[in-house]
Amino acid sequence: MDYPVQLASQLRQLLKSLRKSRQMTQAELAGRLDVVQSRIADIERDPGAVSVEQLLKVLAILGAQIVVRETATRGSVPKPAVQMPGAQQDCPPDDEPKGQW
């Protein structure tokens, strides 16, 4: 089953729910991850502060994975209805990746 996550607060609840649905305590998950129980509590409290690598390991132990799904293509993103004075048209946003990855 898919669980779309757009906010860290949603991820916090999802991690806890996944662990509990597997009937696993924080201590058991910590043992499988080779960390202390308080680290699992920290991850569940603030998943945004965990490394991606550790998050992926937690999810793998819980039998879950991250799926990146494109929700909009560049051509389908609606343009603003009002053009701001002095704004250039058809320029990529500043936060868009530039060059090759």
Side-chain angles (χ1 to χ4, degrees):
M1 178 176 247
D2 290 348
Y3 302 96
V5 175
Q6 296 177 335
L7 304 170
S9 60
Q10 294 170 314
L11 185 56
R12 177 176 58 232
Q13 184 59 41
L14 179 61
L15 289 172
K16 189 174 183 178
S17 294
L18 282 170
R19 178 181 55 78
K20 288 186 172 194
S21 72
R22 302 319 191 250
Q23 300 178 345
M24 193 179 293
T25 65
Q26 287 183 343
E28 290 169 329
L29 179 55
R32 295 195 53 194
L33 194 58
D34 200 27
V35 298
V36 295
Q37 177 273 327
S38 62
R39 180 62 182 146
I40 300 303
D42 291 342
I43 291 169
E44 287 182 357
R45 186 179 319 102
D46 186 10
V50 68
S51 71
V52 173
E53 182 176 346
Q54 195 166 46
L55 177 60
L56 291 172
K57 287 179 182 178
V58 168
L59 289 170
I61 291 168
L62 296 174
Q65 63 184 352
I66 291 178
V67 175
V68 177
R69 180 175 295 126
E70 187 174 11
T71 58
T73 61
R74 184 172 174 90
S76 67
V77 176
K79 292 189 176 189
V82 177
Q83 181 68 31
M84 299 299 293
Q88 296 178 346
Q89 292 183 350
D90 298 319
C91 292
D94 289 337
D95 62 344
E96 186 171 298
K98 295 173 180 67
Q100 294 183 357
W101 287 32

